[in-house]
Amino acid sequence: MLDKKVSDFIKKSFRKGNIVCLTGAGVSGESGIPTFRGKNGLWESYDPEVYATMEGLISIFRADPQKLVDFVSDFYTVLLNARPNPAHISLAALEKTGFLNATITQNIDNLHQAAGTRSVIELHGNSFRIRCVGCQRKISLEKDRVKEMLKLLEKNRDSRIKLLKVLSRYCPRCSNCGSRYRIDIVFFGETLPQDELVRAYKILDNCEVFLVVGSSLVIYPAAALPLYAKERGAQLVEINTEPSALTDMCNCSIIGKAGEILPEIVSFLSI
Ligand code: OAD
Ligand code: ZN
């Protein structure tokens, strides 16, 4: 149950059209996708210096291609099995009823869209999309294609040449400019998609309540967005299972699971 202080705050400040949300890995935790940091976080099993950089992945492929196959398979199997949880569904409901203007996400799992949210700003890309490194043209990488790719990687795991052929098939040359496609996610050290970042700042200009859900808020520039919103007069509300880097600055910090708190907020607002 939301405590009285929280429900009073929501009653006073949540109005149609005045909320923008920022989500992090915690919003997808209840869909079975591990978070990056914290207990059982992805970065406990895979060193981000290696697995979250293009150079690192290429060096693994050179040194031990089977390791790359294992990683790609682990990475996509989790994403393929994940379904939107009550947190994603509640955010979609808040948008549908006009409370939520947009959902800015650091996640690459496509679960906000799968839950029905229309206005999604993806700061770190989407793992079910590829992007041309030359002209930046984007095309979606459907789940069935990913499944097919995993099967072929598994089948050819003993041959570096064959693996390269498989990877090239799913990241082909661009018919527009001749450059190669790559997965459309932001690796460590890469710049964020500027158009998405501009959209995020723009939507925050008219935001009265900035709701941050399931993010440790230690990665920039996403971590700077709440400060930007606060400077422009927004109230900061956070939902997280533990205090984050933002907690001290929040007008309202709700400790709890996103998949439990958000449905309560939706029903509290009598949607
Ligand atoms: P983190 O893994 O850093 O943080 C997840 C947060 O979610 C933590 O603060 C948890 O306490 C909280 N959490 C876990 N389960 C929750 C639940 N059920 N309900 C609510 N909160 C929960 O993930 P992000 O902040 O998203 O970047 O990380 C930001 C970026 O760092 C990622 O996008 C990724 C990573 O390196 C790139 O890959 C570029
Ligand atoms: Zn191109």
PDB file of all heavy atoms in Angstrom, residues 23-27 29-30 35-38 43 52 106-107 124 186-188 213-219 239-244 256-259, ligand 1:
ATOM      1  N   THR A  23      13.225   5.579 -17.391  1.00  0.00           N
ATOM      2  CA  THR A  23      13.359   4.231 -16.838  1.00  0.00           C
ATOM      3  C   THR A  23      14.784   3.687 -17.031  1.00  0.00           C
ATOM      4  O   THR A  23      15.500   4.068 -17.951  1.00  0.00           O
ATOM      5  CB  THR A  23      12.368   3.234 -17.481  1.00  0.00           C
ATOM      6  OG1 THR A  23      12.658   3.109 -18.881  1.00  0.00           O
ATOM      7  CG2 THR A  23      10.932   3.672 -17.286  1.00  0.00           C
ATOM      8  N   GLY A  24      15.138   2.769 -16.121  1.00  0.00           N
ATOM      9  CA  GLY A  24      16.416   2.075 -16.206  1.00  0.00           C
ATOM     10  C   GLY A  24      16.182   0.576 -16.101  1.00  0.00           C
ATOM     11  O   GLY A  24      15.024   0.112 -16.095  1.00  0.00           O
ATOM     12  N   ALA A  25      17.259  -0.147 -15.967  1.00  0.00           N
ATOM     13  CA  ALA A  25      17.192  -1.612 -15.987  1.00  0.00           C
ATOM     14  C   ALA A  25      16.229  -2.187 -14.942  1.00  0.00           C
ATOM     15  O   ALA A  25      15.649  -3.258 -15.142  1.00  0.00           O
ATOM     16  CB  ALA A  25      18.589  -2.189 -15.775  1.00  0.00           C
ATOM     17  N   GLY A  26      16.040  -1.471 -13.815  1.00  0.00           N
ATOM     18  CA  GLY A  26      15.164  -1.973 -12.752  1.00  0.00           C
ATOM     19  C   GLY A  26      13.725  -2.181 -13.202  1.00  0.00           C
ATOM     20  O   GLY A  26      13.020  -3.023 -12.652  1.00  0.00           O
ATOM     21  N   VAL A  27      13.291  -1.435 -14.223  1.00  0.00           N
ATOM     22  CA  VAL A  27      11.904  -1.577 -14.672  1.00  0.00           C
ATOM     23  C   VAL A  27      11.700  -2.920 -15.393  1.00  0.00           C
ATOM     24  O   VAL A  27      10.583  -3.440 -15.451  1.00  0.00           O
ATOM     25  CB  VAL A  27      11.477  -0.363 -15.547  1.00  0.00           C
ATOM     26  CG1 VAL A  27      11.854  -0.534 -16.990  1.00  0.00           C
ATOM     27  CG2 VAL A  27       9.996  -0.079 -15.433  1.00  0.00           C
ATOM     28  N   GLY A  29      13.584  -5.674 -14.569  1.00  0.00           N
ATOM     29  CA  GLY A  29      14.054  -6.759 -13.698  1.00  0.00           C
ATOM     30  C   GLY A  29      12.969  -7.811 -13.488  1.00  0.00           C
ATOM     31  O   GLY A  29      13.244  -9.021 -13.527  1.00  0.00           O
ATOM     32  N   GLU A  30      11.741  -7.351 -13.296  1.00  0.00           N
ATOM     33  CA  GLU A  30      10.645  -8.293 -13.044  1.00  0.00           C
ATOM     34  C   GLU A  30      10.200  -9.013 -14.326  1.00  0.00           C
ATOM     35  O   GLU A  30       9.316  -9.863 -14.275  1.00  0.00           O
ATOM     36  CB  GLU A  30       9.481  -7.557 -12.367  1.00  0.00           C
ATOM     37  CG  GLU A  30       9.838  -7.138 -10.945  1.00  0.00           C
ATOM     38  CD  GLU A  30       8.950  -6.036 -10.401  1.00  0.00           C
ATOM     39  OE1 GLU A  30       7.802  -6.325 -10.050  1.00  0.00           O
ATOM     40  OE2 GLU A  30       9.400  -4.875 -10.354  1.00  0.00           O
ATOM     41  N   THR A  35      19.644  -6.657 -14.015  1.00  0.00           N
ATOM     42  CA  THR A  35      20.129  -5.275 -14.065  1.00  0.00           C
ATOM     43  C   THR A  35      21.638  -5.320 -14.322  1.00  0.00           C
ATOM     44  O   THR A  35      22.240  -6.392 -14.354  1.00  0.00           O
ATOM     45  CB  THR A  35      19.836  -4.545 -12.734  1.00  0.00           C
ATOM     46  OG1 THR A  35      20.385  -5.314 -11.677  1.00  0.00           O
ATOM     47  CG2 THR A  35      18.344  -4.357 -12.519  1.00  0.00           C
ATOM     48  N   PHE A  36      22.229  -4.159 -14.521  1.00  0.00           N
ATOM     49  CA  PHE A  36      23.667  -4.110 -14.804  1.00  0.00           C
ATOM     50  C   PHE A  36      24.470  -4.166 -13.517  1.00  0.00           C
ATOM     51  O   PHE A  36      25.429  -4.908 -13.386  1.00  0.00           O
ATOM     52  CB  PHE A  36      24.017  -2.823 -15.570  1.00  0.00           C
ATOM     53  CG  PHE A  36      23.395  -2.800 -16.929  1.00  0.00           C
ATOM     54  CD1 PHE A  36      22.167  -2.175 -17.141  1.00  0.00           C
ATOM     55  CD2 PHE A  36      24.009  -3.434 -17.987  1.00  0.00           C
ATOM     56  CE1 PHE A  36      21.585  -2.172 -18.392  1.00  0.00           C
ATOM     57  CE2 PHE A  36      23.429  -3.443 -19.239  1.00  0.00           C
ATOM     58  CZ  PHE A  36      22.209  -2.805 -19.446  1.00  0.00           C
ATOM     59  N   ARG A  37      24.002  -3.325 -12.535  1.00  0.00           N
ATOM     60  CA  ARG A  37      24.744  -3.236 -11.275  1.00  0.00           C
ATOM     61  C   ARG A  37      23.972  -3.931 -10.168  1.00  0.00           C
ATOM     62  O   ARG A  37      22.824  -4.295 -10.337  1.00  0.00           O
ATOM     63  CB  ARG A  37      24.983  -1.760 -10.926  1.00  0.00           C
ATOM     64  CG  ARG A  37      25.867  -1.119 -11.963  1.00  0.00           C
ATOM     65  CD  ARG A  37      25.926   0.388 -11.886  1.00  0.00           C
ATOM     66  NE  ARG A  37      26.611   0.847 -13.095  1.00  0.00           N
ATOM     67  CZ  ARG A  37      26.010   1.002 -14.271  1.00  0.00           C
ATOM     68  NH1 ARG A  37      24.718   0.794 -14.391  1.00  0.00           N
ATOM     69  NH2 ARG A  37      26.692   1.362 -15.328  1.00  0.00           N
ATOM     70  N   GLY A  38      24.634  -4.090  -9.032  1.00  0.00           N
ATOM     71  CA  GLY A  38      23.942  -4.700  -7.892  1.00  0.00           C
ATOM     72  C   GLY A  38      24.023  -6.209  -7.940  1.00  0.00           C
ATOM     73  O   GLY A  38      24.688  -6.797  -8.806  1.00  0.00           O
ATOM     74  N   TRP A  43      26.999  -7.127 -15.078  1.00  0.00           N
ATOM     75  CA  TRP A  43      28.431  -6.808 -15.060  1.00  0.00           C
ATOM     76  C   TRP A  43      29.204  -7.626 -14.016  1.00  0.00           C
ATOM     77  O   TRP A  43      30.409  -7.510 -13.904  1.00  0.00           O
ATOM     78  CB  TRP A  43      28.666  -5.316 -14.848  1.00  0.00           C
ATOM     79  CG  TRP A  43      28.101  -4.413 -15.911  1.00  0.00           C
ATOM     80  CD1 TRP A  43      27.636  -3.140 -15.724  1.00  0.00           C
ATOM     81  CD2 TRP A  43      27.964  -4.657 -17.328  1.00  0.00           C
ATOM     82  NE1 TRP A  43      27.215  -2.595 -16.913  1.00  0.00           N
ATOM     83  CE2 TRP A  43      27.401  -3.506 -17.910  1.00  0.00           C
ATOM     84  CE3 TRP A  43      28.249  -5.748 -18.160  1.00  0.00           C
ATOM     85  CZ2 TRP A  43      27.119  -3.406 -19.270  1.00  0.00           C
ATOM     86  CZ3 TRP A  43      27.958  -5.646 -19.520  1.00  0.00           C
ATOM     87  CH2 TRP A  43      27.411  -4.494 -20.052  1.00  0.00           C
ATOM     88  N   ALA A  52      31.098  -4.641 -23.161  1.00  0.00           N
ATOM     89  CA  ALA A  52      30.250  -3.503 -23.511  1.00  0.00           C
ATOM     90  C   ALA A  52      30.957  -2.541 -24.439  1.00  0.00           C
ATOM     91  O   ALA A  52      30.602  -1.374 -24.531  1.00  0.00           O
ATOM     92  CB  ALA A  52      29.797  -2.784 -22.240  1.00  0.00           C
ATOM     93  N   GLN A 106      16.632   4.030 -20.773  1.00  0.00           N
ATOM     94  CA  GLN A 106      18.034   3.621 -21.007  1.00  0.00           C
ATOM     95  C   GLN A 106      18.055   2.164 -21.428  1.00  0.00           C
ATOM     96  O   GLN A 106      19.106   1.608 -21.697  1.00  0.00           O
ATOM     97  CB  GLN A 106      18.851   3.775 -19.717  1.00  0.00           C
ATOM     98  CG  GLN A 106      18.901   5.201 -19.194  1.00  0.00           C
ATOM     99  CD  GLN A 106      19.391   5.240 -17.749  1.00  0.00           C
ATOM    100  OE1 GLN A 106      20.573   5.254 -17.491  1.00  0.00           O
ATOM    101  NE2 GLN A 106      18.473   5.251 -16.805  1.00  0.00           N
ATOM    102  N   ASN A 107      16.888   1.527 -21.460  1.00  0.00           N
ATOM    103  CA  ASN A 107      16.836   0.092 -21.757  1.00  0.00           C
ATOM    104  C   ASN A 107      16.808  -0.144 -23.268  1.00  0.00           C
ATOM    105  O   ASN A 107      16.344   0.695 -24.032  1.00  0.00           O
ATOM    106  CB  ASN A 107      15.609  -0.539 -21.098  1.00  0.00           C
ATOM    107  CG  ASN A 107      15.659  -0.387 -19.587  1.00  0.00           C
ATOM    108  OD1 ASN A 107      16.720  -0.102 -19.046  1.00  0.00           O
ATOM    109  ND2 ASN A 107      14.537  -0.554 -18.926  1.00  0.00           N
ATOM    110  N   HIS A 124      19.744   4.610 -25.287  1.00  0.00           N
ATOM    111  CA  HIS A 124      20.842   3.651 -25.527  1.00  0.00           C
ATOM    112  C   HIS A 124      20.535   2.682 -26.668  1.00  0.00           C
ATOM    113  O   HIS A 124      21.161   1.627 -26.766  1.00  0.00           O
ATOM    114  CB  HIS A 124      21.164   2.887 -24.229  1.00  0.00           C
ATOM    115  CG  HIS A 124      21.725   3.761 -23.146  1.00  0.00           C
ATOM    116  ND1 HIS A 124      21.805   3.394 -21.826  1.00  0.00           N
ATOM    117  CD2 HIS A 124      22.253   5.018 -23.207  1.00  0.00           C
ATOM    118  CE1 HIS A 124      22.344   4.380 -21.118  1.00  0.00           C
ATOM    119  NE2 HIS A 124      22.612   5.377 -21.935  1.00  0.00           N
ATOM    120  N   VAL A 186      24.032   1.467 -27.816  1.00  0.00           N
ATOM    121  CA  VAL A 186      25.163   2.320 -27.468  1.00  0.00           C
ATOM    122  C   VAL A 186      26.108   1.530 -26.574  1.00  0.00           C
ATOM    123  O   VAL A 186      25.729   1.065 -25.500  1.00  0.00           O
ATOM    124  CB  VAL A 186      24.664   3.583 -26.721  1.00  0.00           C
ATOM    125  CG1 VAL A 186      25.828   4.435 -26.255  1.00  0.00           C
ATOM    126  CG2 VAL A 186      23.717   4.389 -27.613  1.00  0.00           C
ATOM    127  N   PHE A 187      27.337   1.355 -27.046  1.00  0.00           N
ATOM    128  CA  PHE A 187      28.336   0.687 -26.224  1.00  0.00           C
ATOM    129  C   PHE A 187      29.028   1.707 -25.316  1.00  0.00           C
ATOM    130  O   PHE A 187      28.892   2.920 -25.522  1.00  0.00           O
ATOM    131  CB  PHE A 187      29.393   0.004 -27.114  1.00  0.00           C
ATOM    132  CG  PHE A 187      28.890  -1.261 -27.774  1.00  0.00           C
ATOM    133  CD1 PHE A 187      28.573  -1.280 -29.123  1.00  0.00           C
ATOM    134  CD2 PHE A 187      28.750  -2.426 -27.044  1.00  0.00           C
ATOM    135  CE1 PHE A 187      28.110  -2.440 -29.734  1.00  0.00           C
ATOM    136  CE2 PHE A 187      28.295  -3.593 -27.647  1.00  0.00           C
ATOM    137  CZ  PHE A 187      27.963  -3.599 -28.985  1.00  0.00           C
ATOM    138  N   PHE A 188      29.778   1.220 -24.341  1.00  0.00           N
ATOM    139  CA  PHE A 188      30.528   2.103 -23.455  1.00  0.00           C
ATOM    140  C   PHE A 188      31.436   3.003 -24.292  1.00  0.00           C
ATOM    141  O   PHE A 188      32.079   2.545 -25.231  1.00  0.00           O
ATOM    142  CB  PHE A 188      31.415   1.282 -22.506  1.00  0.00           C
ATOM    143  CG  PHE A 188      30.704   0.871 -21.245  1.00  0.00           C
ATOM    144  CD1 PHE A 188      29.327   0.705 -21.209  1.00  0.00           C
ATOM    145  CD2 PHE A 188      31.425   0.653 -20.080  1.00  0.00           C
ATOM    146  CE1 PHE A 188      28.684   0.322 -20.041  1.00  0.00           C
ATOM    147  CE2 PHE A 188      30.777   0.265 -18.906  1.00  0.00           C
ATOM    148  CZ  PHE A 188      29.417   0.096 -18.892  1.00  0.00           C
ATOM    149  N   VAL A 213      12.220   5.626 -12.715  1.00  0.00           N
ATOM    150  CA  VAL A 213      11.890   4.270 -12.259  1.00  0.00           C
ATOM    151  C   VAL A 213      13.042   3.302 -12.529  1.00  0.00           C
ATOM    152  O   VAL A 213      13.481   3.143 -13.677  1.00  0.00           O
ATOM    153  CB  VAL A 213      10.620   3.739 -12.986  1.00  0.00           C
ATOM    154  CG1 VAL A 213      10.226   2.379 -12.417  1.00  0.00           C
ATOM    155  CG2 VAL A 213       9.463   4.714 -12.875  1.00  0.00           C
ATOM    156  N   GLY A 214      13.550   2.682 -11.471  1.00  0.00           N
ATOM    157  CA  GLY A 214      14.507   1.583 -11.628  1.00  0.00           C
ATOM    158  C   GLY A 214      15.818   1.932 -12.291  1.00  0.00           C
ATOM    159  O   GLY A 214      16.310   1.175 -13.124  1.00  0.00           O
ATOM    160  N   SER A 215      16.396   3.077 -11.902  1.00  0.00           N
ATOM    161  CA  SER A 215      17.727   3.393 -12.441  1.00  0.00           C
ATOM    162  C   SER A 215      18.655   3.798 -11.298  1.00  0.00           C
ATOM    163  O   SER A 215      18.253   4.549 -10.411  1.00  0.00           O
ATOM    164  CB  SER A 215      17.640   4.533 -13.460  1.00  0.00           C
ATOM    165  OG  SER A 215      18.948   4.852 -13.918  1.00  0.00           O
ATOM    166  N   SER A 216      19.907   3.324 -11.364  1.00  0.00           N
ATOM    167  CA  SER A 216      20.878   3.716 -10.333  1.00  0.00           C
ATOM    168  C   SER A 216      21.343   5.146 -10.586  1.00  0.00           C
ATOM    169  O   SER A 216      21.944   5.771  -9.717  1.00  0.00           O
ATOM    170  CB  SER A 216      22.076   2.762 -10.344  1.00  0.00           C
ATOM    171  OG  SER A 216      22.700   2.794 -11.606  1.00  0.00           O
ATOM    172  N   LEU A 217      21.085   5.648 -11.775  1.00  0.00           N
ATOM    173  CA  LEU A 217      21.432   7.013 -12.184  1.00  0.00           C
ATOM    174  C   LEU A 217      22.899   7.361 -11.973  1.00  0.00           C
ATOM    175  O   LEU A 217      23.235   8.408 -11.447  1.00  0.00           O
ATOM    176  CB  LEU A 217      20.532   8.025 -11.455  1.00  0.00           C
ATOM    177  CG  LEU A 217      19.162   8.193 -12.095  1.00  0.00           C
ATOM    178  CD1 LEU A 217      18.371   9.250 -11.359  1.00  0.00           C
ATOM    179  CD2 LEU A 217      19.250   8.586 -13.567  1.00  0.00           C
ATOM    180  N   VAL A 218      23.748   6.460 -12.412  1.00  0.00           N
ATOM    181  CA  VAL A 218      25.179   6.755 -12.332  1.00  0.00           C
ATOM    182  C   VAL A 218      25.797   6.941 -13.719  1.00  0.00           C
ATOM    183  O   VAL A 218      26.968   7.251 -13.840  1.00  0.00           O
ATOM    184  CB  VAL A 218      25.957   5.661 -11.551  1.00  0.00           C
ATOM    185  CG1 VAL A 218      25.522   5.633 -10.091  1.00  0.00           C
ATOM    186  CG2 VAL A 218      25.806   4.288 -12.174  1.00  0.00           C
ATOM    187  N   ILE A 219      25.011   6.686 -14.776  1.00  0.00           N
ATOM    188  CA  ILE A 219      25.554   6.796 -16.125  1.00  0.00           C
ATOM    189  C   ILE A 219      25.034   8.087 -16.789  1.00  0.00           C
ATOM    190  O   ILE A 219      23.826   8.321 -16.849  1.00  0.00           O
ATOM    191  CB  ILE A 219      25.157   5.564 -16.978  1.00  0.00           C
ATOM    192  CG1 ILE A 219      25.795   4.291 -16.411  1.00  0.00           C
ATOM    193  CG2 ILE A 219      25.553   5.737 -18.442  1.00  0.00           C
ATOM    194  CD1 ILE A 219      27.310   4.209 -16.512  1.00  0.00           C
ATOM    195  N   ILE A 239      11.024   5.740  -8.094  1.00  0.00           N
ATOM    196  CA  ILE A 239      10.609   4.415  -7.614  1.00  0.00           C
ATOM    197  C   ILE A 239      11.814   3.499  -7.798  1.00  0.00           C
ATOM    198  O   ILE A 239      12.313   3.315  -8.920  1.00  0.00           O
ATOM    199  CB  ILE A 239       9.411   3.851  -8.417  1.00  0.00           C
ATOM    200  CG1 ILE A 239       8.220   4.797  -8.347  1.00  0.00           C
ATOM    201  CG2 ILE A 239       9.030   2.451  -7.901  1.00  0.00           C
ATOM    202  CD1 ILE A 239       7.053   4.402  -9.250  1.00  0.00           C
ATOM    203  N   ASN A 240      12.299   2.934  -6.704  1.00  0.00           N
ATOM    204  CA  ASN A 240      13.484   2.074  -6.762  1.00  0.00           C
ATOM    205  C   ASN A 240      13.457   1.158  -5.542  1.00  0.00           C
ATOM    206  O   ASN A 240      12.919   1.526  -4.509  1.00  0.00           O
ATOM    207  CB  ASN A 240      14.762   2.945  -6.752  1.00  0.00           C
ATOM    208  CG  ASN A 240      15.979   2.196  -7.253  1.00  0.00           C
ATOM    209  OD1 ASN A 240      16.298   1.098  -6.791  1.00  0.00           O
ATOM    210  ND2 ASN A 240      16.670   2.774  -8.212  1.00  0.00           N
ATOM    211  N   THR A 241      14.019  -0.027  -5.698  1.00  0.00           N
ATOM    212  CA  THR A 241      14.033  -0.964  -4.558  1.00  0.00           C
ATOM    213  C   THR A 241      15.030  -0.536  -3.478  1.00  0.00           C
ATOM    214  O   THR A 241      15.016  -1.070  -2.380  1.00  0.00           O
ATOM    215  CB  THR A 241      14.395  -2.392  -5.033  1.00  0.00           C
ATOM    216  OG1 THR A 241      15.483  -2.298  -5.952  1.00  0.00           O
ATOM    217  CG2 THR A 241      13.218  -3.050  -5.714  1.00  0.00           C
ATOM    218  N   GLU A 242      15.924   0.408  -3.851  1.00  0.00           N
ATOM    219  CA  GLU A 242      16.865   0.925  -2.852  1.00  0.00           C
ATOM    220  C   GLU A 242      17.210   2.370  -3.195  1.00  0.00           C
ATOM    221  O   GLU A 242      16.942   2.815  -4.318  1.00  0.00           O
ATOM    222  CB  GLU A 242      18.141   0.069  -2.828  1.00  0.00           C
ATOM    223  CG  GLU A 242      18.826  -0.032  -4.168  1.00  0.00           C
ATOM    224  CD  GLU A 242      19.957  -1.065  -4.169  1.00  0.00           C
ATOM    225  OE1 GLU A 242      19.696  -2.219  -3.794  1.00  0.00           O
ATOM    226  OE2 GLU A 242      21.073  -0.686  -4.540  1.00  0.00           O
ATOM    227  N   PRO A 243      17.788   3.112  -2.249  1.00  0.00           N
ATOM    228  CA  PRO A 243      18.128   4.500  -2.573  1.00  0.00           C
ATOM    229  C   PRO A 243      19.105   4.568  -3.755  1.00  0.00           C
ATOM    230  O   PRO A 243      19.920   3.673  -3.935  1.00  0.00           O
ATOM    231  CB  PRO A 243      18.788   5.010  -1.284  1.00  0.00           C
ATOM    232  CG  PRO A 243      18.278   4.113  -0.208  1.00  0.00           C
ATOM    233  CD  PRO A 243      18.074   2.762  -0.851  1.00  0.00           C
ATOM    234  N   SER A 244      18.985   5.622  -4.570  1.00  0.00           N
ATOM    235  CA  SER A 244      19.871   5.778  -5.729  1.00  0.00           C
ATOM    236  C   SER A 244      20.657   7.078  -5.580  1.00  0.00           C
ATOM    237  O   SER A 244      20.510   7.789  -4.582  1.00  0.00           O
ATOM    238  CB  SER A 244      19.030   5.857  -7.007  1.00  0.00           C
ATOM    239  OG  SER A 244      18.440   7.141  -7.082  1.00  0.00           O
ATOM    240  N   GLY A 256      10.465   0.462  -3.377  1.00  0.00           N
ATOM    241  CA  GLY A 256       9.623  -0.706  -3.648  1.00  0.00           C
ATOM    242  C   GLY A 256       9.815  -1.155  -5.076  1.00  0.00           C
ATOM    243  O   GLY A 256      10.548  -0.525  -5.857  1.00  0.00           O
ATOM    244  N   LYS A 257       9.167  -2.280  -5.413  1.00  0.00           N
ATOM    245  CA  LYS A 257       9.301  -2.813  -6.772  1.00  0.00           C
ATOM    246  C   LYS A 257       8.403  -2.045  -7.741  1.00  0.00           C
ATOM    247  O   LYS A 257       7.211  -1.845  -7.446  1.00  0.00           O
ATOM    248  CB  LYS A 257       8.876  -4.280  -6.789  1.00  0.00           C
ATOM    249  CG  LYS A 257       9.861  -5.199  -6.121  1.00  0.00           C
ATOM    250  CD  LYS A 257       9.396  -6.629  -6.311  1.00  0.00           C
ATOM    251  CE  LYS A 257      10.460  -7.593  -5.848  1.00  0.00           C
ATOM    252  NZ  LYS A 257      10.036  -8.978  -5.994  1.00  0.00           N
ATOM    253  N   ALA A 258       8.986  -1.702  -8.897  1.00  0.00           N
ATOM    254  CA  ALA A 258       8.229  -0.945  -9.892  1.00  0.00           C
ATOM    255  C   ALA A 258       6.950  -1.690 -10.295  1.00  0.00           C
ATOM    256  O   ALA A 258       5.902  -1.078 -10.502  1.00  0.00           O
ATOM    257  CB  ALA A 258       9.101  -0.696 -11.117  1.00  0.00           C
ATOM    258  N   GLY A 259       7.044  -3.017 -10.393  1.00  0.00           N
ATOM    259  CA  GLY A 259       5.898  -3.825 -10.830  1.00  0.00           C
ATOM    260  C   GLY A 259       4.790  -3.896  -9.791  1.00  0.00           C
ATOM    261  O   GLY A 259       3.692  -4.387 -10.089  1.00  0.00           O
TER     262      GLY A 259
HETATM  263  P1  OAD B   1      21.470  -0.269 -13.052  1.00  0.00           P
HETATM  264  O1  OAD B   1      21.652  -1.756 -13.080  1.00  0.00           O
HETATM  265  O2  OAD B   1      22.663   0.567 -12.807  1.00  0.00           O
HETATM  266  O3  OAD B   1      20.403   0.104 -11.935  1.00  0.00           O
HETATM  267  C1  OAD B   1      19.180  -0.575 -11.791  1.00  0.00           C
HETATM  268  C2  OAD B   1      18.442   0.049 -10.633  1.00  0.00           C
HETATM  269  O4  OAD B   1      17.166  -0.573 -10.559  1.00  0.00           O
HETATM  270  C3  OAD B   1      19.123  -0.139  -9.273  1.00  0.00           C
HETATM  271  O5  OAD B   1      19.180   1.123  -8.622  1.00  0.00           O
HETATM  272  C4  OAD B   1      18.188  -1.112  -8.530  1.00  0.00           C
HETATM  273  O6  OAD B   1      18.117  -0.799  -7.149  1.00  0.00           O
HETATM  274  C5  OAD B   1      16.856  -0.847  -9.209  1.00  0.00           C
HETATM  275  N1  OAD B   1      15.895  -1.961  -9.234  1.00  0.00           N
HETATM  276  C6  OAD B   1      16.150  -3.285  -9.348  1.00  0.00           C
HETATM  277  N2  OAD B   1      15.009  -4.007  -9.403  1.00  0.00           N
HETATM  278  C7  OAD B   1      13.985  -3.103  -9.308  1.00  0.00           C
HETATM  279  C8  OAD B   1      12.559  -3.203  -9.313  1.00  0.00           C
HETATM  280  N3  OAD B   1      11.934  -4.375  -9.434  1.00  0.00           N
HETATM  281  N4  OAD B   1      11.842  -2.059  -9.199  1.00  0.00           N
HETATM  282  C9  OAD B   1      12.453  -0.860  -9.086  1.00  0.00           C
HETATM  283  N5  OAD B   1      13.792  -0.711  -9.080  1.00  0.00           N
HETATM  284  C10 OAD B   1      14.551  -1.805  -9.197  1.00  0.00           C
HETATM  285  O7  OAD B   1      20.718   0.112 -14.405  1.00  0.00           O
HETATM  286  P2  OAD B   1      20.590   1.520 -15.151  1.00  0.00           P
HETATM  287  O8  OAD B   1      20.475   2.631 -14.183  1.00  0.00           O
HETATM  288  O9  OAD B   1      19.527   1.355 -16.165  1.00  0.00           O
HETATM  289  O10 OAD B   1      24.265   1.462 -20.366  1.00  0.00           O
HETATM  290  O11 OAD B   1      21.990   1.596 -15.870  1.00  0.00           O
HETATM  291  C11 OAD B   1      22.242   2.618 -16.769  1.00  0.00           C
HETATM  292  C12 OAD B   1      23.125   2.162 -17.894  1.00  0.00           C
HETATM  293  O12 OAD B   1      24.287   1.506 -17.387  1.00  0.00           O
HETATM  294  C13 OAD B   1      22.518   1.114 -18.791  1.00  0.00           C
HETATM  295  O13 OAD B   1      21.633   1.604 -19.739  1.00  0.00           O
HETATM  296  C14 OAD B   1      23.726   0.514 -19.445  1.00  0.00           C
HETATM  297  C15 OAD B   1      24.587   0.358 -18.232  1.00  0.00           C
HETATM  298  O14 OAD B   1      25.939   0.296 -18.416  1.00  0.00           O
HETATM  299  C16 OAD B   1      24.751   1.060 -21.544  1.00  0.00           C
HETATM  300  O15 OAD B   1      24.750  -0.107 -21.869  1.00  0.00           O
HETATM  301  C17 OAD B   1      25.271   2.151 -22.420  1.00  0.00           C
END
